[in-house]
Amino acid sequence: MRLILDACRRRAATVGELQDVLGVDETDTPLLSRAEPLGEHLLVAARPDIVYRSGVPYFVEFNIDGALGGTLQADLLAARFRALYHRLPGGHRIDAPPSAVDSRFAEIRTSLGLPEGSRVAIPVFSKGAAPGLEDPDAFLAWLAPMCESGRRHGMDTVACTMDRLETGADDVLLLDGQPVDAVLRLFLSADQPPSPGLDALLRAVRAGRVRMHTSEATWLLSDKSTMAWLWTDKEFLPEDDRRLVERHLPWTALFPGHGRQGDELLRYALAHRTELVLKPTGGYGGGGVVLGPETGDEEWREALDHARWAGRHILQTHVTPDRLALDFQDQETGAVEHAQVPFVVGPFMFGQAPSGVLVRHGVPGGGPVLNAHHGALMSSAVLVDRC
């Protein structure tokens, strides 16, 4: 996280300058404050995506943003595994990691400096919601444990539909007519359909009348261009940091690049399809990711041509993932299938401290992109006391 922030600081001093360097259109981040400085206060919520190859972890993406999904799933599944193992001999040695949900709300109160009783709103959204949460009522019900956690941490926390938000005098944000002190932003504002409630949130944020966890500045830190910058800058890093980049961050380069260097990169990409992944720099949910080993030459060339036309992509070395041996039960027939499936590990960090772990894994016959929007299943991790 700090290496990514440092790479951004070498190129920009403020959020607006970083937005310009990245080439992110202002319409993509309407909640952004361009004057906000690039500081450590932005490193309050993160979840890297880690793939293991031959037991070695590789950071294939690094999400630094408050809109992190999976905290509830990680907590729920870890608690279920713990309960299951506790019935078995030696089960007392199995425990769940610290709650990602509770860690998140502790950090919300601490980082925003919210006093006891502060009102926190969690607006639900439609574009980008996890599978099964497209219905607003289902989404509101799903967020109940998060609201309970917020209340345990001394905040009046309410999940709401966007249409319940409005602004009052001096652009104060109101929820059902009552002032809101902070908003837990679980969405990218530019992706959401226009609505009076979203307009109210924009007015309140721009007027400085409501706090957010987190500001959309953190979304810029999640831009995959930063991983290419680390490879560009690695010769100037201290030795330990350089080794970290070379060993645990797959080679990453901005695509299409410029001039002669861009032409050379294109030739390299065409010649090494099976070793590479093409990703949009600002994408999420696995959207737009093209795995070279999973495509043919013609499809790969078309993807590269599209990326050259669209801009803002990266090429990255493909990490062939280790696999887990799992049993899968058909919910209708009860039939069990044994399969070796790839997986990606996502440890949550709030306030730069680790908490729960989200694991996503493939399914028999599933696609290669390990994301819930592409059919991957969610799981979690437990802690084992080996003493």
Side-chain angles (χ1 to χ4, degrees), residues 119 320 322 354:
R119 197 163 207 224
T320 304
D322 292 343

Side-chain angles (χ1 to χ4, degrees), residues 39 50 83 136 183 225 245 265-266 335 343:
I50 300 171
V183 171
S225 300
V245 170
L265 189 59
L266 175 60
F343 66 100

Side-chain angles (χ1 to χ4, degrees), residues 352-374:
Q352 303 184 37
S355 56
V357 181
L358 179 69
V359 178
R360 286 163 291 171
H361 60 75
V363 297
V369 178
L370 297 177
N371 189 277
H373 292 279
H374 292 262

Side-chain angles (χ1 to χ4, degrees), residues 23 47 76 102 164 192 257 263 290 327 351 357:
R47 192 203 69 213
L76 174 66
D102 282 344
R164 290 167 59 188
Q192 304 312 310
D263 293 338
V290 182
D327 292 326
V357 181

